[in-house]
Amino acid sequence: MSAQIRRERNEYYAILERTQRGSLEITDWLTCFLDCLDRAFDGADTILGSILRKADFWDLHAARQLNERQRLVLNRLFDGFEGKLTSSKWAKLTKVSQATAARDIDELVGHGILKKDAAGGRSTSYSLIDLKT
């Protein structure tokens, strides 16, 4: 809840100040607080869903032999990777050659962990395969 209030602090403190300086009628503040609490629950649900998805993934692939680079990038994908995953981004993130990045990616595609996105050629990108499919 404190993180949500921090995100909405300007509105929250404005209504708090109006309530304290006015007639001490708390209905507006209470409505604002409960709406903020509702958004905090939604945010917590989203975060928990992401954590559980990551845990399910690693449970499913616990026995699979993955190298440290693959583990690093897969964890980044679960933790909010910016943009599309390409072999160039893989190489830069893991500090390896394009050839090594391509081998790492191809191995994960072969294991059914990553899939090649629709666009191909120089703009080839990859996504995690949804566990539900």
Side-chain angles (χ1 to χ4, degrees):
M1 179 65 183
S2 63
Q4 189 67 34
I5 288 175
R6 198 172 323 122
R7 281 189 288 278
E8 301 177 14
R9 68 180 159 264
N10 292 339
E11 178 187 345
Y12 178 80
Y13 286 121
I15 194 120
L16 186 61
E17 185 176 342
R18 281 194 308 274
T19 301
Q20 291 174 337
R21 292 178 185 248
S23 65
L24 298 180
E25 167 60 45
I26 66 165
T27 304
D28 288 342
W29 174 82
L30 191 56
T31 300
C32 178
F33 180 83
L34 292 174
D35 289 344
C36 184
L37 180 62
D38 188 43
R39 287 185 293 276
F41 284 142
D42 290 343
D45 189 44
T46 300
I47 291 168
L48 182 58
S50 175
I51 291 168
L52 292 174
R53 182 173 175 238
K54 185 176 179 180
D56 288 346
F57 172 86
W58 287 117
D59 283 346
L60 181 64
H61 298 288
R64 193 169 305 279
Q65 295 293 323
L66 301 176
N67 64 47
E68 286 303 310
R69 296 180 306 274
Q70 291 167 326
R71 290 183 181 283
L72 171 78
V73 175
L74 289 170
N75 278 319
R76 289 288 292 270
L77 289 172
F78 280 107
D79 295 339
F81 188 83
E82 290 292 322
K84 295 182 181 240
L85 175 63
T86 63
S87 60
S88 297
K89 286 184 182 179
W90 185 293
K92 186 175 182 180
L93 182 63
T94 60
K95 298 176 178 69
V96 296
S97 68
Q98 281 287 122
T100 300
R103 282 191 301 273
D104 284 348
I105 291 170
D106 287 343
E107 188 176 309
L108 293 177
V109 169
H111 289 317
I113 293 172
L114 291 179
K115 65 180 176 182
K116 192 180 288 193
D117 294 335
R122 300 184 124 239
S123 59
T124 300
S125 61
Y126 302 87
S127 301
L128 280 169
I129 292 179
D130 193 354
L131 292 175
K132 296 175 185 168
T133 59

